[in-house]
Amino acid sequence: MGLAIVRGWQGYWVAVRLGWAISSNWTRPFLFIVYSILRPISMALILAVMYTVITHNSAAARPYLAFLIIGTAFWSFIQEGVSEFATGILEDRGRYHMLKYTYLAPLGFPVFLVGRASSKLASASASVVIVLLVGTFALGLPINPLTIDYPLLVLACLLAFVAIMAFSITLSMVLLAGRDSHGYGEIMAQFLYLFSGAIFPISLLPGPLAWLASLSPLGYWLELCRRAILHGRVYEMFPQLSDGEVLARLVAAVAGTVVLGYFTYLLSDRMARRRGYIDMESSW
Amino acid sequence: MAGTSPSSTSSRPAVETRQLGRVYKSRKDVVVALQGIDLSVKQGELFGVLGPNGAGKTTLIKILVTLLLPTSGQAWVDGLDVVKDYRALRHRISMVSGGENAGYGLLRVREQLWLFSQLYGMSSAAARRRIDELLERLGLAEVGNRTIAGLSSGMRQKMSLVRGLMTDPRVIFLDEPTVALDVGAARDVRNEVRRWMGEDPTRTVILTTHYMQEADELCDRVAIVNRGEVIAHGTPQALKQQVDEDVIVDLQLEPGRPLLDALRAIEGVGAASAREEDGIDRFSLLLADDAVLPRVLTTVEGSGRRVTGLVRRQPTLEDAFVKLVGRSLHEEDSSGDGA
């Protein structure tokens, strides 16, 4: 058992290295760094400008600006994680023709996928810091690194990492069992964007959709991130819930997502092998 | 043990299938890719699976390596059920497919191979030693630090073979491993496969190939698959004996109107195949006896085509294949006339 864990860990890190090598080598290092910095800044500024125009920068709306900026900052974890999973499947299948070999490796395909997607954590983390810095210095958010509740933030992010991986494995296995799967990663990321409370509270969604969104762990995670960074000075999606209650809901939602992801994985894996899609050729 | 082949461990076959079948269904079509496949491959054997395009060879390999589920029957590899025990089985097998440009182009050759060794749980130091050893043997040592995108297709193919061999699987599946390789590279691959097997007498290779000479040279036994069924199996020698009493003649003709069906229709012509090489049509004919040859030449003369060469020769595995399947490996599966 111990040896299996060591080997699994070793394989995971190799997949992280592979993911990093692939995602960071598409251009020269200088351009890669410029792209990695400018992308999150532009994303944050677009939203901030929209917000300023709509609210006329009124003081009463400041807590909502903080809501928007923190949600956008942490959203990059989902964007990067989910899209990298989907890209991993599509690239390995259509571009590198390696999917069947990595799939057959004893490490286990989900561990390999998680490793490849984890490589994006570094750029996603950098993106979070960049957007928060822009929020603080350019938009005047009262973020103070000394008053952030780091234990709550780290715990929430660890739980969210598990949930994002479960979401992404589910998506990847669906891609594996599908014939034409281009664009699904982005569709899934945009779908989660609307349902996670990243840019607006989930209570604004129509009734059944709001209920559906309340089952997702992402809303609770972003709520805890906002509270950990700017407690009391940010718009809250669940003002009636204490931090502990939000955390409890996050744990329950993550557990549900993991169980759902596991069964979807089993089903999709079998479906892909039944249909013979694993070594299918696809265009890239 | 559930899902385990009933044979005892010591005499356990490396590969065993019972009534294995696979049907592909779509809204428009039902294609029977494999049916009723019964095979038993011994440990330490180099077993060839021969057949024309679309015969079902790759489908069989895909089932045995757990990429595809069968729709009927059962199969075991190294005693493990390919459906129930697929996770455990993946520790014991590997697969190399020819004719594809596989590889993470941005990585260096050694990097990619090391990466795979880690996915198989090898220790890093042992993996590096093994990779260097295999790269050296296959003549790739000098390109080990080159990015994969810069390799020729032959080098990539050899690198894939290193990936397949380095984890020392119990059974390796080689699907057309020498396709599109030049003569020297193909010889290197064949030599390495034999040498790898020689390191451990229980290692087993399942090989699909289009090249009859390769199968004849390499394989201990072969199965001939046609339209999803095994129509013959045995040692290359035993299969060649099926055409031992035939007279085998190679005819070279200048190009002209189609002749293959007319030759096949001659009484005493057991089988005929044709291929075009360098603008010359080459026919291989299996004749019941020498008396058939004049009738063949009369037919050729009647067609207006000129004979540029005629050779009587010893039987090959390809002749046995043509007799069993009714066409050569290079002909399409149709009733249309050839050269």
Side-chain angles (χ1 to χ4, degrees), chain B residues 65-78:
Chain B
V65 299
T66 77
L67 279 176
L68 180 69
L69 291 174
T71 46
S72 60
Q74 285 178 285
W76 298 267
V77 175
D78 202 32

Side-chain angles (χ1 to χ4, degrees), chain A residues 7 10-12 14-15 17-18 21-23 25-26 92 95-108 112 116 262 265-266 269-279 281, chain B residues 22 24 58 62 65-69 82-83 86-87 90-91 93 95-98 100-107 111-112 114-124 128 156 160 163:
Chain A
R7 285 180 174 168
Q10 162 188 337
Y12 166 79
V14 159
R17 281 177 61 163
L18 174 67
I22 289 173
S23 62
N25 277 323
W26 56 270
D92 277 19
R95 184 178 183 188
Y96 301 119
H97 308 283
M98 294 299 286
L99 187 70
K100 64 181 171 189
Y101 301 118
T102 49
Y103 174 83
L104 286 177
L107 170 70
F112 176 77
R116 271 197 70 170
Y262 179 70
Y265 161 71
L266 291 182
D269 180 50
R270 194 167 178 83
M271 196 181 288
R273 286 193 295 136
R274 193 172 64 225
R275 291 175 175 172
Y277 282 177
I278 290 164
D279 67 332
E281 287 292 317
Chain B
R22 170 72 206 195
Y24 290 99
T58 300
K62 281 163 70 173
V65 299
T66 77
L67 279 176
L68 180 69
L69 291 174
V82 298
V83 176
Y86 66 98
R87 286 201 179 95
R90 288 175 186 168
H91 288 271
I93 58 172
M95 177 196 195
V96 176
S97 295
E100 61 185 15
N101 242 356
Y104 295 107
L106 295 159
L107 299 185
E111 255 180 314
Q112 170 164 307
W114 176 81
L115 182 146
F116 260 88
S117 73
Q118 302 308 288
L119 302 184
Y120 278 78
M122 291 176 80
S123 88
S124 186
R128 287 184 201 283
R156 278 196 187 209
S160 293
R163 177 188 49 71

